[in-house]
Amino acid sequence: AIHALGMQVMLDLVYNHTSPDSWLVFNNPEWFYRRENGRFGNKIGDWWDVIDLDYSKKGLWEYQIETMKIWANYVDGFRCDVAPLVPLEFWLKARKEIDKVRPDLIWLAESIEPHFVRDCRKSGIYAASDSEMYQAFDICYDYDIYKYQSGALRGDYTLGYYLHHVNLQEAIYPDNYSKLRCLENHDRPRAAAMIPDEQLLRNWTAWIYFAKGTTMIYAGQEYCDSHHPTLFDSDPIIFDEKKDISPLMSKLAEIKKAPVFAYSSFEAKAIGNGGNVIYAKYECDSDAPIEMQTVVGIFSTTNMKQSLKVEIPDGYYTNAITGEQIHVFENTVTCNAEPIILFL
């Protein structure tokens, strides 16, 4: 029924751990990690509500992969919870086996923050980096630079420092890498809470769509919900249609389907007074399969109207978001604090 609506389904695979009363606990207790006292436990102490699986047991590998094969007949992708804590060799074997059933399945890794990787390794806990994860996965979470993104929003870091880390991703990951870009999710604060000004929220939303990779929208984000629901209690999301920015999201999703976003190099920098405007550009690779244009995005993190010096030839262009005509004169454009995307 979901496919009939033109949508696709991703299944959340939690393969690092289970609840203490899961079916596997009672039927295959030998597949679980145990503490020195012989009791079930987990390696990450903060996760008090779960117990870890033990991937030194090859029977567990077979069981998990067979389960994935079943679901691969129905769903379009797997979102793999804390994937770096499960051995990379398991994911590589799983992908090889699943490709026989569903070669076009999308593999998304909930990768973890660099400090989490470092702390795990320091404690003798296996943890893979994003660079390793891309051997088996198509998309990784953007947690490697989320610290700088949220820091830029709070004023802890400059916008330019955040974008410096965005640009680093172009060099340290595979050429065709895809990052899951998000302003919020189940583990992070609401975007509308961090960015209460709707105009600025529109700019940050447009940037998250424009940035290289795949955009994630958390339930309620399209209605600027500022209340973060708890994971453990009934806490309904408030859908306030008076604050609906889903038309903007729909337009941005349509724009992002242009081929240039898949066959180009990407770079972003901070410009404007005080470096408070994101200026990002996609330029086609020399081996792009079809002739494509350069595309530029301008996203203001301030409500101040200002003139910006840009690397765009003089002329008249159309803002792909609004249809508004944009005039570039002497390589200068006027930014009224609304997001701009130009195909040159």
Side-chain angles (χ1 to χ4, degrees):
I2 294 174
H3 288 155
L5 293 172
M7 300 170 69
Q8 292 182 314
V9 185
M10 294 191 77
L11 185 68
D12 189 11
L13 294 183
V14 187
Y15 272 13
N16 177 68
H17 49 261
T18 79
S19 64
D21 60 350
S22 70
W23 186 90
L24 283 180
V25 171
F26 298 105
N27 289 272
N28 293 94
E30 72 278 9
W31 291 348
F32 284 84
Y33 165 78
R34 293 179 184 268
R35 303 185 190 278
E36 290 183 1
N37 60 13
R39 294 181 178 178
F40 296 126
N42 64 70
K43 304 181 191 75
I44 309 298
D46 292 346
W47 301 349
W48 55 268
D49 58 322
V50 300
I51 57 176
D52 287 358
L53 289 159
D54 182 357
Y55 278 84
S56 69
K57 308 298 172 56
K58 295 303 179 181
L60 174 62
W61 289 41
E62 295 172 9
Y63 176 85
Q64 301 286 57
I65 291 173
E66 286 304 312
T67 303
M68 296 166 81
K69 284 181 179 177
I70 294 171
W71 283 106
N73 289 296
Y74 303 98
V75 301
D76 307 286
F78 292 139
R79 179 266 188 195
C80 301
D81 193 76
V82 286
L85 299 190
V86 176
L88 176 60
E89 290 76 13
F90 168 79
W91 293 123
L92 290 168
K93 179 177 175 60
R95 176 127 198 191
K96 184 178 180 180
E97 293 297 316
I98 303 308
D99 279 352
K100 299 174 184 176
V101 178
R102 185 73 182 275
D104 61 340
L105 196 90
I106 299 168
W107 291 73
L108 166 62
E110 186 201 23
S111 47
I112 57 180
E113 300 88 340
H115 75 267
F116 193 1
V117 174
R118 193 168 54 245
D119 290 347
C120 284
R121 291 175 175 178
K122 191 176 179 180
S123 301
I125 301 170
Y126 173 85
S129 66
D130 283 18
S131 295
E132 292 171 297
M133 286 285 94
Y134 277 118
Q135 295 179 58
F137 289 87
D138 303 307
I139 310 169
C140 287
Y141 268 49
D142 205 20
Y143 282 163
D144 56 320
I145 63 168
Y146 181 83
K147 168 184 176 181
Y148 307 108
Q149 176 181 301
S150 58
L153 287 170
R154 292 191 304 266
D156 298 337
Y157 300 111
T158 65
L159 187 64
Y161 190 63
Y162 158 55
L163 297 176
H164 164 72
H165 287 86
V166 173
N167 291 334
L168 277 178
Q169 293 176 328
E170 283 285 286
I172 62 178
Y173 297 133
D175 185 48
N176 63 340
Y177 79 95
S178 180
K179 275 289 178 178
L180 188 71
R181 308 291 183 181
C182 71
L183 285 177
E184 62 178 66
N185 63 42
H186 70 292
D187 280 332
R188 297 293 183 263
R190 284 287 196 181
M194 293 189 293
I195 316 167
D197 184 287
E198 187 173 330
Q199 189 168 36
L200 297 186
L201 183 58
R202 289 170 58 83
N203 273 274
W204 276 99
T205 300
W207 157 245
I208 288 298
Y209 270 90
F210 190 82
K212 184 172 180 175
T214 306
T215 309
M216 175 185 176
I217 297 301
Y218 186 52
Q221 184 175 341
E222 69 272 40
Y223 291 104
C224 305
D225 193 346
S226 60
H227 169 68
H228 197 293
T230 175
L231 296 180
F232 297 100
D233 302 295
S234 176
D235 193 1
I237 293 166
I238 300 171
F239 294 99
D240 184 356
E241 296 186 7
K242 296 176 184 176
K243 299 180 180 179
D244 184 6
I245 62 169
S246 59
L248 170 65
M249 292 177 170
S250 295
K251 186 62 179 178
L252 292 167
E254 177 188 328
I255 292 170
K256 193 64 179 280
K257 291 177 182 176
V260 64
F261 291 101
Y263 297 97
S264 54
S265 59
F266 174 71
E267 186 175 8
K269 62 182 179 180
I271 64 173
N273 296 330
N276 51 29
V277 176
I278 299 173
Y279 178 85
K281 181 167 64 173
Y282 287 87
E283 291 185 289
C284 295
D285 296 337
S286 59
D287 60 348
I290 55 176
E291 184 178 347
M292 292 176 290
Q293 300 163 299
T294 295
V295 59
V296 168
I298 302 172
F299 312 100
S300 181
T301 65
T302 173
N303 282 323
M304 179 176 63
K305 182 177 180 179
Q306 56 185 305
S307 295
L308 302 169
K309 199 74 173 177
V310 293
E311 301 164 358
I312 302 174
D314 288 359
Y316 290 91
Y317 302 88
T318 301
N319 184 349
I321 301 174
T322 63
E324 173 191 11
Q325 193 173 65
I326 303 292
H327 185 202
V328 179
F329 180 66
E330 292 188 348
N331 302 113
T332 302
V333 64
T334 299
C335 175
N336 62 1
E338 281 292 328
I340 298 171
I341 295 178
L342 306 175
F343 286 85
L344 309 186

